[in-house]
């Protein structure tokens, strides 16, 4: 399937899926397509990272970050990635991709991903990314606040109160996510 068709399919699926909370794991069952293959008959190394980019798009849409970026004129930027390959994925095999925010610092976010088949890791790694404005990297305290979790609905946010904020913090804690959520809630 052409990558633009995959992107369109990813966007349509993300818009129809329930909202994700920062720190929650996105799991997707996918299939190795014929155009994903290299000359050795398994999924191409570069294709793994392309699929990660698609999961990042879905994660942004489902957490509300894509809308926040569009409204503010920000754009996403990858700062690097690393991946280890353990087992090959063969043509037409299904696999599960797990993707989540694992941590962050002042500007960068660290996303963990795992390609799994029958409970065994086929490939795993991290990618580093940030939001970029005209004048440089957007501080995470601002980018997290832009998702509107703690902003009242009357002001364009999601209106999360104390109970919902605790659910977000519980999900962040469950994944041991080191991210400036409290700062973001205060900024919002």
């Amino acid at each position: 399937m052409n990558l633009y068709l995959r992107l369109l399919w990813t966007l349509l699926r993300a818009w129809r899926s329930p909202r994700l909370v920062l720190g929650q794991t996105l799991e997707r069952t996918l299939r190795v397509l014929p155009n994903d293959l290299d000359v050795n008959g398994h999924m191409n190394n570069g294709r793994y990272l392309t699929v990660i980019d698609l999961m990042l798009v879905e994660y942004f849409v489902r957490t509300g970050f894509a809308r926040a970026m569009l409204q503010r004129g920000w754009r996403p930027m990858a700062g690097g990635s690393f991946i280890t390959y353990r087992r090959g994925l063969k043509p037409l095999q299904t696999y599960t991709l797990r993707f989540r925010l694992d941590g962050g610092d002042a500007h960068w976010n660290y996303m963990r991903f795992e390609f799994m088949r029958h409970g065994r890791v086929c490939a795993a790694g991290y990618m580093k990314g940030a939001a970029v404005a005209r004048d440089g990297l957007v501080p995470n305290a601002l980018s997290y606040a832009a998702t509107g979790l703690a902003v009242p609905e009357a002001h364009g946010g999601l209106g999360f109160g104390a109970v919902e904020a605790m659910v977000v913090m519980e999900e962040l804690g469950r994944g041991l996510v080191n991210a400036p959520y409290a700062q973001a809630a205060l900024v919002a």
Side-chain angles (χ1 to χ4, degrees), residues 5 16 33 35 38 41 74 105 112 117 145 162-163 182:
L5 292 176
R16 290 189 333 256
L33 300 177
N35 64 328
D38 62 14
W74 300 343
D105 55 29
R112 167 94 175 140
R117 179 159 168 76
V163 172

Side-chain angles (χ1 to χ4, degrees), residues 48-56 97 99 113 115 127:
Y48 284 90
L49 296 176
T50 301
V51 172
I52 292 303
D53 284 344
L54 293 172
M55 289 300 96
L56 187 61
L97 176 55
F99 187 85
F113 56 86
F115 290 79
M127 78 170 299

Side-chain angles (χ1 to χ4, degrees), residues 77-88:
M77 181 180 81
S81 60
F82 73 87
I83 184 170
T84 58
Y85 305 96
R86 296 178 181 242
R87 290 170 190 76

